[in-house]
Each structure stands twice: as C-alpha cells, then as structure tokens.
Amino acid sequence: MSKIPTLPGITSTMVATSRLQMHVLSSGPADGEAVLFIHGNASSATFWEETMLALPAQFRAIAPDLRGYGETEDLLIDATRGCGDWVDDLIALIDTLGIDRCHAVGHSLGGVVLFNLIAAVPQRIITATLVAPGSPYGFGGCKGLNGELCWPDGAGSGGGTVNQAFVERMAAGDTTEEAGNAAPRVVMNTFYWKPPFRPAREEALLASMLSEKVGPQRYPGDFKPSPHWPGVAPGVWGPINAISPLYVGDAVERFVAAEPKPPILWVRGADDQIVSDMSLFDVGTLGQLGILPDWPGADAHPPQPMIGQTRAVLERYAAAGGRFRELVFAECGHTPYIEHPDQFNAAFHDHLRNR
C-alpha cells in the first residue's frame, strides 16, 4: 500500500523489474489499452490519480514513481546518461507488465523523459502527451532554438542552481509555511499552479512532493565549481543534473528521426512560471532580472527559450513526417491537468481515441 492515501479506484503495488523495485499506481481494466503516466520533479505518481480515474473505460492507467522519487527503490541516478536511467527503468517496467505498446503522458521533467523514451523506443508509443514539458534540450544553461550550451561545462544548469534553502526544507519534510519562499508548500502553491488556485488534495500532493529522495547524490544532485557565470556546473548524480543540457547528447536528433512517429499533444499553461521563455527557475532569467549578480548579458547567458525550443523541435518532428498539436490554457500555471481537469481531459481523451 502507498504511504500516501490513494483515491478509491487506485491500486498501489510494488513491481520487481529487471532493474529495480518500482512503486506503481494503476487503475482501469487489466486488459485495457495501457496509458503510461510519467510525473515531474518534486512530485510522484500521486499527482496523476484524478487524471487516471477520469480515463474512458477501455484504458488502463499505469503511473510509476520514477527512480529518485516516491516509494520506488532508492537507487542513484547516473546523470551522465541524461534521462537514460529513467528511460531504461520505464522500458523494463512495461516489459515486466507484458505491455507491448502504450500511450504515454509526461509532465514537466516527465516530459523531458518522454522525449527520450520516444527517441529510444518509438515503436512502443501509440500516442504521446506532453504536459508543460521541460525543453527537449534540458533545463537551464543553454540558449537559442537549437539548445546551444551557454558555457562548455554546462554552467548555469544542474544541481548547483537549486535554492539550497528549499533543498533543506525538502530534506526536513517541512509541511509548514514558516520558511516563506523556501517552504515546499509555498513553492507548490506559488509555482505549480496559478494562485489563488489550491487543489482539493493539497496535503496528498505536498506529501508527494516531499517523497523525493534528497541528498548530495540524490536531489538536487552534486555540482562543480565553474569559471563561468554563475560559478557552478553540473555534477554527475541526481535528477537535476540528469536534465542538464550538458548530458542531452543526441537525444533530440534521435527524437526527430524516430520511426514510427507517435502523434503528439502538447498542453501548457499560459501563466507557467517554471517552464517558459522567462522561467523564474532559470539562472539566465534571474540574472537578467537582477536577482543574481554579475550577469554576463544576453549574448553570453540569456534566459533559456524553453517554449521556443520545444516548438522548434516539434516543428522539425512534423517536417520529418510526425504531427503535433499545441494547446495553451488561459489562467493556468504549470499543472494544466490539475488546474483545468475538464478542459485537459477533453483534449487528452480525444487524442487517445483519434490517433
């Protein structure tokens, strides 16, 4: 049973794969058409429960806790493989469950994982739904629509860019608002959705957020000093290093060249402060706004154009024979499926049925 209370209709199990023990939430008929849900950073499968239960009757929902999160076995993430550990874990999971092909949905960091999953096994993905995904080039430390590194060592991305006060509050399991902008509850209610929205299951979602494994080799990951602004470069462990552009390798090219090409639905909120072309979690933005000192300027380290990069890559995917649809929800932050469930489910279910 999950340590976080689940909604009626959700089953919590541990699945032993060839790689690790994964905690998995599921719903729907065992013989239904599988839909794989991939959660984002500082969350877990818990975030998907309402969306899982809203699926049409013929679908089976599978939502694992990724390595490094929730109740899945606590094994380290080798960031030098980019999203490789997560991708291999997910492939091992669907192999263990006997799923040949599935629909796949990825939110935020999970969207970056989904780009990489399509690049690895496109023949196993029926449709893909990207919900406020991170850029396919990763998070932070890159510029331009082609994801060029700002600095050769990836400075400005990775574990050293995360607010250490927030990390300390995460490690302490702080459920209060006493630490202000460093408090996980405050961060969640300020940035995960557009204020003043508050989800009905706020306590369960906060518990999900706090279930991430924290430590020097875990969240957010290690880091190295850099001669380049802002003075820190990615280390080699943990989730935030794993989504550094330093380690993206040829994943974008493999995604664009994938065959077959599953149709893609891209849903995002117009008021997203986490993934945007002026993300408040990107040091380039913070430098330009004067929040981080000694910013070297827009030529050297501009705000990462996350939306522009995603659109440019998806347009290349379409030009190579794929197709995608972009939906932007008004009055919506980083979590469209929680903030506007009816609007999201209508588009999502249509995408699943009309592939």
Side-chain angles (χ1 to χ4, degrees):
M1 292 292 292
S2 173
K3 294 177 183 176
I4 302 171
T6 55
L7 293 171
I10 298 288
T11 300
S12 166
T13 55
M14 293 298 295
V15 178
T17 78
S18 59
R19 289 178 55 82
L20 78 173
Q21 294 271 346
M22 295 194 81
H23 176 241
V24 179
L25 300 182
S26 60
S27 64
D31 60 351
E33 200 167 331
V35 184
L36 177 68
F37 290 85
I38 311 169
H39 66 78
N41 184 52
S43 64
S44 72
T46 297
F47 269 65
W48 290 118
E49 290 186 38
E50 288 86 349
T51 311
M52 295 163 67
L53 293 170
L55 282 173
Q58 70 266 36
F59 293 99
R60 170 192 183 191
I62 310 287
D65 291 343
L66 294 174
R67 178 186 298 234
Y69 299 85
E71 295 169 50
T72 284
E73 184 180 357
D74 184 10
L75 298 182
L76 295 180
I77 298 162
D78 179 356
T80 66
R81 302 188 66 223
C83 291
D85 275 351
W86 291 316
V87 167
D88 289 349
D89 291 347
L90 292 172
I91 294 170
L93 175 64
I94 60 176
D95 284 346
T96 300
L97 296 176
I99 297 169
D100 181 47
R101 300 180 73 227
C102 63
H103 304 270
V105 190
H107 174 232
S108 195
L109 176 146
V112 183
V113 175
L114 182 49
F115 278 117
N116 284 262
L117 185 64
I118 293 168
V121 287
Q123 72 280 6
R124 302 189 71 172
I125 309 300
I126 304 167
T127 70
T129 302
L130 299 163
V131 190
S135 165
Y137 291 107
F139 198 96
C142 69
K143 59 187 177 180
L145 298 185
N146 63 351
E148 173 191 356
L149 286 173
C150 296
W151 311 106
D153 61 357
S157 67
T161 65
V162 177
N163 182 328
Q164 281 303 118
F166 171 72
V167 174
E168 291 168 6
R169 293 297 85 212
M170 286 280 285
D174 184 3
T175 62
T176 74
E177 297 185 354
E178 293 172 5
N181 291 336
R185 186 186 298 273
V186 173
V187 170
M188 184 177 76
N189 284 321
T190 303
F191 297 106
Y192 281 33
W193 22 84
K194 182 179 180 180
F197 178 85
R198 291 267 183 132
R201 296 179 71 219
E202 180 178 337
E203 300 310 316
L205 297 182
L206 180 61
S208 169
M209 184 182 189
L210 293 169
S211 71
E212 182 166 11
K213 277 86 170 179
V214 179
Q217 292 183 305
R218 292 170 174 80
Y219 176 74
D222 56 334
F223 57 91
K224 302 172 182 175
S226 171
H228 307 293
W229 187 85
V232 290
V236 298
W237 301 107
I240 308 306
N241 290 320
I243 58 170
S244 165
L246 184 66
Y247 300 127
V248 72
D250 65 350
V252 172
E253 298 308 313
R254 289 188 294 114
F255 167 77
V256 170
E259 290 295 343
K261 287 182 163 60
I264 292 174
L265 174 65
W266 173 23
V267 183
R268 61 185 182 86
D271 305 302
D272 193 336
Q273 301 180 84
I274 296 177
V275 174
S276 78
D277 287 348
M278 283 288 289
S279 168
L280 293 178
F281 289 75
D282 174 33
V283 298
T285 302
L286 299 179
Q288 182 170 296
L289 294 175
I291 297 169
L292 285 181
D294 303 320
W295 181 56
D299 289 340
H301 202 129
Q304 181 186 353
M306 300 177 187
I307 302 301
Q309 289 175 350
T310 296
R311 188 178 296 112
V313 169
L314 290 175
E315 286 173 348
R316 288 182 59 201
Y317 182 84
R323 57 188 170 92
F324 79 96
R325 180 186 180 201
E326 178 183 357
L327 291 180
V328 183
F329 289 3
E331 296 298 316
C332 183
H334 188 56
T335 321
Y337 60 100
I338 291 176
E339 295 171 77
H340 297 284
D342 292 343
Q343 186 180 1
F344 176 81
N345 287 329
F348 177 41
H349 298 169
D350 181 67
H351 183 58
L352 294 177
R353 289 168 166 149
N354 297 300
R355 54 186 182 272

